[in-house]
Amino acid sequence: MKEWNVLLKQEWKKVTIMAVAALLLAASIILQGYLFVTVVDQVFIDGAGFSAVTMSMLFLLLVLWLRTGVSDVIARTGVRLGTRAKLSMRTMLLGKMAKSPVKDAGQQQSGKRISVFMDAVEETDSYFSGYVPQVIQSSLVPLVLFIAITVTHLNSGLIILATSPFIPLFYIIIGLKTKEKSEEKIEEMNALSGSFLDILQGLTTLKLFRKAKEQKENIRTSSIRFRDATMDVLKTAFVSSLMLELISMLSIGLIALEIALQLIIFENMDFFTAFFILILAPEFYNFLKQLGFAFHTGRQSMGAASKVFDEINREEDTITWGEEPLSISHPPRISLSNATYRYGEGEFELGPVNVEISPGKSIAIAGRTGSGKSTLLHVISGLLPLSEGEVCVEGKPLSSYQEEEWMKHLSYISQHPFIFSGTLKDNIIIGSDHSQSEEEITKAVEQAGLSELVGELEHGLETLVGEGGRGLSGGEKQRLALARAFLKRAPVVLLDEPTTGLDLKTERILKASLERMSEQATVITVAHRLHTIREADEIVFLEHGKVAGQGSHAELLQAVDEYRAMTTLSGGGEST
């Protein structure tokens, strides 16, 4: 996989350390065998005393310590390599998700994305921390051992040369099957995660429509498929282990038989040579066998990695930004010139839109359901990439500015602002640069109409709220989002009709807050209520993705038949 090769090239120092350590490991194994055989030969064959082998035993202990230390260095380096690789993959995934346009972000199940980000990335760890170190060891150590055995006894080297290819050949065949089974397992896990999270989030709705039991059975079926996929991977692993042990045992048995014939029948080999080869041969096959086990794990990791890189490399519309700074302290001039956005072939198309947005004005984007109001707001905010045309800020294309610079001057309040798990204060300052004083935070809370709520809470702004705003009403969430905007003091504020679905008292509080906000910023609102539309300084009326008219309420009533029909039908209620 070319992406993994790129990751390994970035960590070439760690790979080099493991290669040098592997050569030292091979040397320590040969020295260990030589010293051990020397001690046994002198004591049991030559009848030497303990004093005669004292130095050899001390050197043997030193070599054993060296082997242990080198193995530990390889293992630790592999773990660090795995940690860095997972960090790189998660960074790429986060970057991909952060740059995804709004429409692409909403097309995938949250649970599936979380599963890829957490579980699939974590499953790649064994490739970098286990497989890569083992490949390096099994490429260098057996080669050095083979040379040592062949130089010592040619026949044993020839047996190794004839039998050793069967081990990699076998685990390559098994490994291909393992990768396929692993991909099936990851697919089932992602499906289970996505389904479970969707069902959990919509549990109330499912109960109301008496579909909870049906979905329970769906989860059970998905769980069984995931279990079966996992068991298939384990069965393949067990078969692989059995066959690797069998091939290694038979190969070592052949070498032992040949040495026995040379030593006992033909008497043309001494004890030292025979024992030295019998010490090194199992080490040779052990490293090949360990590579087999690691190869199985590595192929399993590659199944997970394919899901990760499929997500990273998935083609989608990307939003490009420039390098220019944007330093403004006043509402900027915003214009759209032939701005067009297409959702896809044969799908809804917005534009071309040609609109001049006056600085410091209150702008309402109106139109019937599906006319492109929210899409236009997303285009202005920079959350959707244009197919054609451009959005200009202060006379320059929005795409020429740095993303961070533009977002710093922008506040966006949707119908359903997301509240993070944490304190009220954490959620309010999330959009600011965290340099605001307590007085400024308190003032933003007052401007947003949150003072009464905060005053009633025992811990005030340090009160914890659950993920998604658990513990807060819809109106309280909206006011919290407004407090973010007041604290940020952005010169451009985008609103996706934040008063929809709120009671009259809460709506009046929010309306007063929004009026204060419009005194210092350009406020662009996707308007659903007629009174919101009427009170705007300018109205941009959309019809089937096109601008059907722009002007005040009175001007549009006179000039645009569809606008007049819509406002007449709404009768002061909903316009869409």
Side-chain angles (χ1 to χ4, degrees), residues 134 138 142 159-176 239-253 255 281-296:
Q134 193 58 54
S138 297
I159 293 174
I160 288 176
L161 193 61
T163 59
S164 58
F166 287 102
I167 296 177
L169 179 64
F170 176 78
Y171 60 64
I172 286 172
I173 295 171
I174 293 294
L176 293 174
V239 171
S240 175
S241 300
L242 174 64
M243 294 306 297
L244 288 173
E245 291 287 353
L246 181 62
I247 295 172
S248 299
M249 181 180 67
L250 291 175
S251 301
I252 294 171
I255 293 175
E283 295 278 10
F284 175 90
Y285 287 104
N286 185 50
F287 276 93
L288 288 184
K289 192 168 60 179
Q290 287 176 6
L291 179 59
F293 299 145
F295 186 81
H296 170 85

Side-chain angles (χ1 to χ4, degrees), residues 169-302:
L169 179 64
F170 176 78
Y171 60 64
I172 286 172
I173 295 171
I174 293 294
L176 293 174
K177 190 68 175 176
T178 301
K179 183 176 182 290
E180 179 185 329
K181 294 291 183 184
S182 177
E183 288 178 351
E184 291 176 7
K185 174 193 163 190
I186 295 294
E187 190 64 42
E188 293 296 343
M189 180 175 65
N190 289 343
L192 176 61
S193 299
S195 304
F196 185 76
L197 185 59
D198 283 351
I199 291 168
L200 194 63
Q201 291 175 333
L203 193 57
T204 302
T205 304
L206 291 171
K207 283 185 176 181
L208 290 172
F209 287 96
R210 295 180 295 172
K211 294 292 183 180
K213 289 185 178 179
E214 181 181 316
Q215 293 303 320
K216 177 182 175 182
E217 187 60 30
N218 289 341
I219 290 178
R220 180 177 176 274
T221 303
S222 186
S223 299
I224 290 172
R225 286 202 301 266
F226 176 58
R227 180 199 66 189
D228 292 342
T230 304
M231 292 305 297
D232 285 342
V233 173
L234 291 175
K235 282 189 288 187
T236 306
F238 292 147
V239 171
S240 175
S241 300
L242 174 64
M243 294 306 297
L244 288 173
E245 291 287 353
L246 181 62
I247 295 172
S248 299
M249 181 180 67
L250 291 175
S251 301
I252 294 171
L254 285 174
I255 293 175
L257 177 62
E258 195 275 335
I259 287 174
L261 290 173
Q262 295 289 340
L263 183 65
I264 300 171
I265 305 299
F266 299 107
E267 297 183 350
N268 59 357
M269 179 183 288
D270 57 31
F271 173 80
F272 185 95
T273 303
F275 195 26
F276 183 59
I277 293 171
L278 285 176
I279 289 288
L280 294 186
E283 295 278 10
F284 175 90
Y285 287 104
N286 185 50
F287 276 93
L288 288 184
K289 192 168 60 179
Q290 287 176 6
L291 179 59
F293 299 145
F295 186 81
H296 170 85
T297 306
R299 299 301 290 186
Q300 195 171 337
S301 296
M302 289 180 74

Side-chain angles (χ1 to χ4, degrees), residues 554-573:
E555 290 170 344
L556 292 180
L557 279 176
Q558 293 294 324
V560 182
D561 293 340
E562 180 63 23
Y563 178 82
R564 183 167 55 253
M566 185 191 75
T567 53
T568 301
L569 284 173
S570 65

Side-chain angles (χ1 to χ4, degrees), residues 16-38:
T16 303
I17 289 170
M18 287 190 286
V20 173
L23 292 174
L24 288 174
L25 180 61
S28 67
I29 291 171
I30 294 172
L31 281 172
Q32 174 190 320
Y34 178 82
L35 291 169
F36 184 73
V37 171
T38 298

Side-chain angles (χ1 to χ4, degrees), residues 126-138:
S126 56
Y127 179 88
F128 295 98
S129 62
Y131 179 63
V132 170
Q134 193 58 54
V135 166
I136 293 172
Q137 291 179 78
S138 297

